[in-house]
Amino acid sequence: MINVLVAGFKGSMGNKTIHMVANNDKFKLAGVYNPVVTEKNVNEVAEFADLDVPVYTDYEQIPVNDIDVWIDFTIPSAVYQNVKFALENKISVVVGTTGLKDEQIVELKEIAAKNGIGGLIAPNFGISAVLLMQFAKQAAKYMPDVEIIEMHHDNKLDAPSGTAINTAKLIAEVREEHQQGNPEETESLDGARGANYEGMHIHSVRLPGYVAHEQVLFGSKGEALTIRQDSFDRESFMTGVALAVEKIGDYNELMVGLENLL
Ligand code: NAP
């Protein structure tokens, strides 16, 4: 039995996660964490009251020796501290929260290595997104002119999405840095050409009704290729989260990308 703590349990992803954990025979929901919790808002979380699980609001309260895996679906400004706390206390981590900076990931990797603890940071737990990133990396070898459009619900805090940044990083591994578009181009409205990652432009769309979607557009002389994935329901991420929780105890390093466990 794997004892799991869920940080961010009141949020859209956290709520799905506590139910996935509670309904999986191999996992025990050993606790949930959020620094700001009141009885009222705990009971607003669908069916949470029926689960009878300890709610921790302070790191000090967490029985670290009784937790095997820390799942994090919180916010960009909280995730680094949370993951650092877990790794320092020898708890494996499964991190879905986006917005970690490269230098923070380097530091967290060092802590995991020092303590011999496994962890996974997955910008996207959906298999369609993992495949999109792999296919885009393959295509970029032959079609190096590329732009990325990511589309999300309008409550998302960070832009561009972690998946878009990871897509750009994977493409950059196989593509020489080069500027695209007319070298003389100007923006008559700021931001019109989107963010720029090593010459690749990334555009972020935020709309109600959307969940998480991405298109990678390749253009070449007389032809184009578009790769697209859609996550229509947050439930689609749960298979990847469950897989990570089950496997992460076998590792002693912090990895980025679900493909490391597939
Ligand atoms: P959300 O609905 O805003 O939920 C975030 C939750 O985190 C809120 O309930 C918030 O509590 C809580 N929180 C804030 N500070 C915290 C802290 N210090 N410790 C613990 N909990 C804290 O967001 P969401 O849609 O669930 O998304 C969560 C994260 O997952 C985002 O970064 C998003 O981009 C990412 N995401 C990843 C994937 C993936 O496959 N990797 C998929 C979807 C989303 P309050 O309610 O009290 O403010």
Side-chain angles (χ1 to χ4, degrees):
M1 189 67 90
I2 302 172
N3 288 315
V4 179
L5 178 142
V6 178
F9 71 103
K10 291 188 285 143
S12 310
M13 288 299 290
N15 198 354
K16 291 267 181 224
T17 305
I18 55 174
H19 290 103
M20 179 279 286
V21 173
N23 291 319
N24 188 312
D25 294 344
K26 296 176 192 149
F27 308 154
K28 179 176 174 213
L29 186 61
V32 294
Y33 170 71
N34 183 306
V36 190
V37 175
T38 62
E39 200 170 321
K40 180 174 172 292
N41 64 25
V42 165
N43 291 327
E44 278 166 8
V45 177
E47 299 161 38
F48 187 77
D50 301 338
L51 294 175
D52 189 25
V53 168
V55 179
Y56 303 115
T57 56
D58 197 308
Y59 291 149
E60 299 292 308
Q61 300 165 345
I62 298 173
V64 290
N65 296 330
D66 300 336
I67 309 288
D68 302 310
V69 179
W70 176 294
I71 303 182
D72 203 285
F73 278 111
T74 62
I75 54 173
S77 57
V79 56
Y80 170 73
Q81 271 315 321
N82 282 351
V83 175
K84 186 168 180 238
F85 169 81
L87 291 173
E88 282 176 341
N89 286 285
K90 305 203 171 180
I91 302 173
S92 300
V93 294
V94 170
V95 183
T97 317
T98 49
L100 274 168
K101 297 190 171 39
D102 286 348
E103 55 274 23
Q104 292 178 322
I105 294 176
V106 169
E107 269 182 59
L108 294 171
K109 280 186 172 187
E110 282 168 9
I111 301 171
K114 196 176 91 199
N115 287 341
I117 291 295
L120 180 76
I121 298 170
N124 203 308
F125 282 103
I127 189 74
S128 62
V130 173
L131 291 173
L132 167 134
M133 288 186 267
Q134 298 295 324
F135 295 156
K137 183 177 176 181
Q138 257 179 291
K141 280 188 210 159
Y142 308 101
M143 299 180 81
D145 286 280
V146 50
E147 302 217 2
I148 298 168
I149 306 173
E150 56 94 345
M151 296 149 279
H152 279 81
H153 59 88
D154 59 348
N155 285 322
K156 188 166 175 57
L157 288 172
D158 52 324
S161 69
T163 309
I165 295 173
N166 214 45
T167 308
K169 280 184 184 165
L170 288 172
I171 290 174
E173 286 175 15
V174 296
R175 161 199 191 268
E176 300 265 305
E177 178 170 355
H178 71 283
Q179 293 304 318
Q180 293 170 191
N182 190 326
E184 314 260 303
E185 75 182 8
T186 56
E187 289 184 335
S188 45
L189 277 180
D190 279 352
R193 292 287 289 123
N196 187 327
Y197 185 93
E198 296 196 3
M200 252 174 281
H201 290 266
I202 306 178
H203 312 269
S204 297
V205 175
R206 297 290 175 263
L207 285 172
Y210 279 56
V211 177
H213 318 258
E214 184 170 305
Q215 286 188 52
V216 188
L217 291 80
F218 298 88
S220 187
K221 278 190 187 136
E223 60 181 342
L225 169 69
T226 303
I227 307 174
R228 177 176 176 127
Q229 72 78 218
D230 295 278
S231 302
F232 297 114
D233 187 317
R234 289 177 177 82
E235 200 60 46
S236 64
F237 302 119
M238 289 302 125
T239 313
V241 177
L243 175 93
V245 171
E246 208 174 323
K247 290 194 168 181
I248 205 60
D250 300 338
Y251 292 80
N252 52 15
E253 59 175 324
L254 179 63
M255 300 161 285
V256 179
L258 185 66
E259 60 278 14
N260 287 287
L261 302 188
L262 294 175

PDB file of all heavy atoms in Angstrom, residues 128-148:
ATOM      1  N   SER A 128      -1.847  11.921 -24.716  1.00  0.00           N
ATOM      2  CA  SER A 128      -1.901  12.620 -26.019  1.00  0.00           C
ATOM      3  C   SER A 128      -0.874  13.752 -26.053  1.00  0.00           C
ATOM      4  O   SER A 128      -0.248  14.001 -27.089  1.00  0.00           O
ATOM      5  CB  SER A 128      -3.300  13.153 -26.309  1.00  0.00           C
ATOM      6  OG  SER A 128      -3.694  14.105 -25.343  1.00  0.00           O
ATOM      7  N   ALA A 129      -0.660  14.417 -24.920  1.00  0.00           N
ATOM      8  CA  ALA A 129       0.316  15.517 -24.883  1.00  0.00           C
ATOM      9  C   ALA A 129       1.744  14.976 -24.924  1.00  0.00           C
ATOM     10  O   ALA A 129       2.624  15.559 -25.568  1.00  0.00           O
ATOM     11  CB  ALA A 129       0.107  16.367 -23.640  1.00  0.00           C
ATOM     12  N   VAL A 130       1.968  13.849 -24.235  1.00  0.00           N
ATOM     13  CA  VAL A 130       3.307  13.246 -24.258  1.00  0.00           C
ATOM     14  C   VAL A 130       3.649  12.841 -25.695  1.00  0.00           C
ATOM     15  O   VAL A 130       4.751  13.107 -26.195  1.00  0.00           O
ATOM     16  CB  VAL A 130       3.365  12.017 -23.309  1.00  0.00           C
ATOM     17  CG1 VAL A 130       4.688  11.274 -23.452  1.00  0.00           C
ATOM     18  CG2 VAL A 130       3.165  12.457 -21.864  1.00  0.00           C
ATOM     19  N   LEU A 131       2.671  12.231 -26.394  1.00  0.00           N
ATOM     20  CA  LEU A 131       2.907  11.826 -27.792  1.00  0.00           C
ATOM     21  C   LEU A 131       3.116  13.046 -28.683  1.00  0.00           C
ATOM     22  O   LEU A 131       4.004  13.057 -29.537  1.00  0.00           O
ATOM     23  CB  LEU A 131       1.724  10.988 -28.306  1.00  0.00           C
ATOM     24  CG  LEU A 131       1.600   9.605 -27.657  1.00  0.00           C
ATOM     25  CD1 LEU A 131       0.305   8.919 -28.101  1.00  0.00           C
ATOM     26  CD2 LEU A 131       2.801   8.732 -28.007  1.00  0.00           C
ATOM     27  N   LEU A 132       2.299  14.092 -28.469  1.00  0.00           N
ATOM     28  CA  LEU A 132       2.467  15.321 -29.274  1.00  0.00           C
ATOM     29  C   LEU A 132       3.893  15.853 -29.146  1.00  0.00           C
ATOM     30  O   LEU A 132       4.523  16.217 -30.150  1.00  0.00           O
ATOM     31  CB  LEU A 132       1.461  16.386 -28.833  1.00  0.00           C
ATOM     32  CG  LEU A 132       1.718  17.802 -29.353  1.00  0.00           C
ATOM     33  CD1 LEU A 132       0.440  18.440 -29.876  1.00  0.00           C
ATOM     34  CD2 LEU A 132       2.323  18.695 -28.291  1.00  0.00           C
ATOM     35  N   MET A 133       4.421  15.871 -27.918  1.00  0.00           N
ATOM     36  CA  MET A 133       5.789  16.403 -27.729  1.00  0.00           C
ATOM     37  C   MET A 133       6.815  15.542 -28.458  1.00  0.00           C
ATOM     38  O   MET A 133       7.730  16.064 -29.087  1.00  0.00           O
ATOM     39  CB  MET A 133       6.101  16.513 -26.225  1.00  0.00           C
ATOM     40  CG  MET A 133       5.338  17.645 -25.559  1.00  0.00           C
ATOM     41  SD  MET A 133       5.805  17.896 -23.838  1.00  0.00           S
ATOM     42  CE  MET A 133       4.612  16.913 -22.979  1.00  0.00           C
ATOM     43  N   GLN A 134       6.632  14.228 -28.391  1.00  0.00           N
ATOM     44  CA  GLN A 134       7.582  13.329 -29.066  1.00  0.00           C
ATOM     45  C   GLN A 134       7.496  13.497 -30.586  1.00  0.00           C
ATOM     46  O   GLN A 134       8.521  13.568 -31.273  1.00  0.00           O
ATOM     47  CB  GLN A 134       7.289  11.860 -28.700  1.00  0.00           C
ATOM     48  CG  GLN A 134       7.428  11.550 -27.215  1.00  0.00           C
ATOM     49  CD  GLN A 134       8.859  11.710 -26.721  1.00  0.00           C
ATOM     50  OE1 GLN A 134       9.798  11.405 -27.429  1.00  0.00           O
ATOM     51  NE2 GLN A 134       9.021  12.201 -25.503  1.00  0.00           N
ATOM     52  N   PHE A 135       6.265  13.551 -31.116  1.00  0.00           N
ATOM     53  CA  PHE A 135       6.083  13.694 -32.569  1.00  0.00           C
ATOM     54  C   PHE A 135       6.644  15.040 -33.039  1.00  0.00           C
ATOM     55  O   PHE A 135       7.254  15.131 -34.105  1.00  0.00           O
ATOM     56  CB  PHE A 135       4.603  13.594 -32.948  1.00  0.00           C
ATOM     57  CG  PHE A 135       3.973  12.250 -32.677  1.00  0.00           C
ATOM     58  CD1 PHE A 135       2.592  12.132 -32.497  1.00  0.00           C
ATOM     59  CD2 PHE A 135       4.742  11.092 -32.610  1.00  0.00           C
ATOM     60  CE1 PHE A 135       2.006  10.898 -32.256  1.00  0.00           C
ATOM     61  CE2 PHE A 135       4.159   9.853 -32.360  1.00  0.00           C
ATOM     62  CZ  PHE A 135       2.784   9.754 -32.182  1.00  0.00           C
ATOM     63  N   ALA A 136       6.429  16.090 -32.235  1.00  0.00           N
ATOM     64  CA  ALA A 136       6.901  17.425 -32.629  1.00  0.00           C
ATOM     65  C   ALA A 136       8.427  17.441 -32.697  1.00  0.00           C
ATOM     66  O   ALA A 136       9.023  18.038 -33.601  1.00  0.00           O
ATOM     67  CB  ALA A 136       6.390  18.471 -31.633  1.00  0.00           C
ATOM     68  N   LYS A 137       9.058  16.764 -31.747  1.00  0.00           N
ATOM     69  CA  LYS A 137      10.525  16.706 -31.743  1.00  0.00           C
ATOM     70  C   LYS A 137      11.025  15.998 -33.009  1.00  0.00           C
ATOM     71  O   LYS A 137      11.980  16.449 -33.657  1.00  0.00           O
ATOM     72  CB  LYS A 137      11.001  15.966 -30.486  1.00  0.00           C
ATOM     73  CG  LYS A 137      12.501  15.917 -30.349  1.00  0.00           C
ATOM     74  CD  LYS A 137      12.905  15.249 -29.046  1.00  0.00           C
ATOM     75  CE  LYS A 137      14.404  15.105 -28.949  1.00  0.00           C
ATOM     76  NZ  LYS A 137      14.826  14.446 -27.722  1.00  0.00           N
ATOM     77  N   GLN A 138      10.341  14.917 -33.383  1.00  0.00           N
ATOM     78  CA  GLN A 138      10.717  14.188 -34.606  1.00  0.00           C
ATOM     79  C   GLN A 138      10.561  15.078 -35.838  1.00  0.00           C
ATOM     80  O   GLN A 138      11.449  15.162 -36.679  1.00  0.00           O
ATOM     81  CB  GLN A 138       9.767  13.008 -34.787  1.00  0.00           C
ATOM     82  CG  GLN A 138      10.333  11.676 -34.410  1.00  0.00           C
ATOM     83  CD  GLN A 138       9.264  10.615 -34.620  1.00  0.00           C
ATOM     84  OE1 GLN A 138       8.280  10.582 -33.889  1.00  0.00           O
ATOM     85  NE2 GLN A 138       9.453   9.781 -35.611  1.00  0.00           N
ATOM     86  N   ALA A 139       9.419  15.754 -35.912  1.00  0.00           N
ATOM     87  CA  ALA A 139       9.109  16.558 -37.106  1.00  0.00           C
ATOM     88  C   ALA A 139      10.076  17.730 -37.259  1.00  0.00           C
ATOM     89  O   ALA A 139      10.437  18.109 -38.380  1.00  0.00           O
ATOM     90  CB  ALA A 139       7.668  17.075 -37.019  1.00  0.00           C
ATOM     91  N   ALA A 140      10.507  18.297 -36.125  1.00  0.00           N
ATOM     92  CA  ALA A 140      11.346  19.501 -36.178  1.00  0.00           C
ATOM     93  C   ALA A 140      12.711  19.240 -36.818  1.00  0.00           C
ATOM     94  O   ALA A 140      13.360  20.168 -37.304  1.00  0.00           O
ATOM     95  CB  ALA A 140      11.523  20.078 -34.773  1.00  0.00           C
ATOM     96  N   LYS A 141      13.133  17.982 -36.834  1.00  0.00           N
ATOM     97  CA  LYS A 141      14.404  17.645 -37.497  1.00  0.00           C
ATOM     98  C   LYS A 141      14.307  17.960 -38.981  1.00  0.00           C
ATOM     99  O   LYS A 141      15.280  18.319 -39.626  1.00  0.00           O
ATOM    100  CB  LYS A 141      14.673  16.137 -37.361  1.00  0.00           C
ATOM    101  CG  LYS A 141      15.238  15.726 -36.047  1.00  0.00           C
ATOM    102  CD  LYS A 141      15.636  14.235 -36.137  1.00  0.00           C
ATOM    103  CE  LYS A 141      15.502  13.610 -34.768  1.00  0.00           C
ATOM    104  NZ  LYS A 141      15.376  12.169 -34.807  1.00  0.00           N
ATOM    105  N   TYR A 142      13.103  17.759 -39.540  1.00  0.00           N
ATOM    106  CA  TYR A 142      12.922  17.907 -40.992  1.00  0.00           C
ATOM    107  C   TYR A 142      12.231  19.219 -41.348  1.00  0.00           C
ATOM    108  O   TYR A 142      12.337  19.693 -42.478  1.00  0.00           O
ATOM    109  CB  TYR A 142      12.102  16.722 -41.525  1.00  0.00           C
ATOM    110  CG  TYR A 142      12.692  15.403 -41.077  1.00  0.00           C
ATOM    111  CD1 TYR A 142      12.150  14.688 -40.016  1.00  0.00           C
ATOM    112  CD2 TYR A 142      13.853  14.917 -41.686  1.00  0.00           C
ATOM    113  CE1 TYR A 142      12.720  13.498 -39.585  1.00  0.00           C
ATOM    114  CE2 TYR A 142      14.436  13.734 -41.260  1.00  0.00           C
ATOM    115  CZ  TYR A 142      13.867  13.029 -40.209  1.00  0.00           C
ATOM    116  OH  TYR A 142      14.444  11.867 -39.770  1.00  0.00           O
ATOM    117  N   MET A 143      11.462  19.779 -40.400  1.00  0.00           N
ATOM    118  CA  MET A 143      10.739  21.034 -40.647  1.00  0.00           C
ATOM    119  C   MET A 143      11.047  21.994 -39.484  1.00  0.00           C
ATOM    120  O   MET A 143      10.276  22.078 -38.522  1.00  0.00           O
ATOM    121  CB  MET A 143       9.234  20.767 -40.775  1.00  0.00           C
ATOM    122  CG  MET A 143       8.892  19.832 -41.921  1.00  0.00           C
ATOM    123  SD  MET A 143       7.122  19.522 -42.083  1.00  0.00           S
ATOM    124  CE  MET A 143       6.575  20.970 -42.963  1.00  0.00           C
ATOM    125  N   PRO A 144      12.170  22.704 -39.567  1.00  0.00           N
ATOM    126  CA  PRO A 144      12.608  23.476 -38.402  1.00  0.00           C
ATOM    127  C   PRO A 144      11.843  24.785 -38.146  1.00  0.00           C
ATOM    128  O   PRO A 144      12.041  25.384 -37.095  1.00  0.00           O
ATOM    129  CB  PRO A 144      14.083  23.766 -38.710  1.00  0.00           C
ATOM    130  CG  PRO A 144      14.205  23.662 -40.179  1.00  0.00           C
ATOM    131  CD  PRO A 144      13.172  22.705 -40.657  1.00  0.00           C
ATOM    132  N   ASP A 145      10.969  25.201 -39.068  1.00  0.00           N
ATOM    133  CA  ASP A 145      10.208  26.428 -38.810  1.00  0.00           C
ATOM    134  C   ASP A 145       8.909  26.060 -38.109  1.00  0.00           C
ATOM    135  O   ASP A 145       8.045  25.384 -38.679  1.00  0.00           O
ATOM    136  CB  ASP A 145       9.924  27.167 -40.121  1.00  0.00           C
ATOM    137  CG  ASP A 145      11.180  27.838 -40.638  1.00  0.00           C
ATOM    138  OD1 ASP A 145      11.514  28.919 -40.140  1.00  0.00           O
ATOM    139  OD2 ASP A 145      11.874  27.214 -41.486  1.00  0.00           O
ATOM    140  N   VAL A 146       8.784  26.509 -36.854  1.00  0.00           N
ATOM    141  CA  VAL A 146       7.682  26.011 -36.019  1.00  0.00           C
ATOM    142  C   VAL A 146       7.149  27.101 -35.099  1.00  0.00           C
ATOM    143  O   VAL A 146       7.908  27.944 -34.616  1.00  0.00           O
ATOM    144  CB  VAL A 146       8.173  24.768 -35.219  1.00  0.00           C
ATOM    145  CG1 VAL A 146       9.469  25.050 -34.511  1.00  0.00           C
ATOM    146  CG2 VAL A 146       7.164  24.293 -34.198  1.00  0.00           C
ATOM    147  N   GLU A 147       5.846  27.104 -34.900  1.00  0.00           N
ATOM    148  CA  GLU A 147       5.237  27.964 -33.873  1.00  0.00           C
ATOM    149  C   GLU A 147       4.284  27.091 -33.057  1.00  0.00           C
ATOM    150  O   GLU A 147       3.745  26.097 -33.558  1.00  0.00           O
ATOM    151  CB  GLU A 147       4.497  29.148 -34.514  1.00  0.00           C
ATOM    152  CG  GLU A 147       5.432  29.988 -35.382  1.00  0.00           C
ATOM    153  CD  GLU A 147       5.180  31.493 -35.345  1.00  0.00           C
ATOM    154  OE1 GLU A 147       4.292  31.946 -34.611  1.00  0.00           O
ATOM    155  OE2 GLU A 147       5.912  32.195 -36.080  1.00  0.00           O
ATOM    156  N   ILE A 148       4.105  27.486 -31.788  1.00  0.00           N
ATOM    157  CA  ILE A 148       3.280  26.681 -30.875  1.00  0.00           C
ATOM    158  C   ILE A 148       2.103  27.532 -30.395  1.00  0.00           C
ATOM    159  O   ILE A 148       2.292  28.693 -30.016  1.00  0.00           O
ATOM    160  CB  ILE A 148       4.131  26.224 -29.659  1.00  0.00           C
ATOM    161  CG1 ILE A 148       5.283  25.331 -30.132  1.00  0.00           C
ATOM    162  CG2 ILE A 148       3.274  25.509 -28.620  1.00  0.00           C
ATOM    163  CD1 ILE A 148       6.342  25.060 -29.071  1.00  0.00           C
TER     164      ILE A 148
END
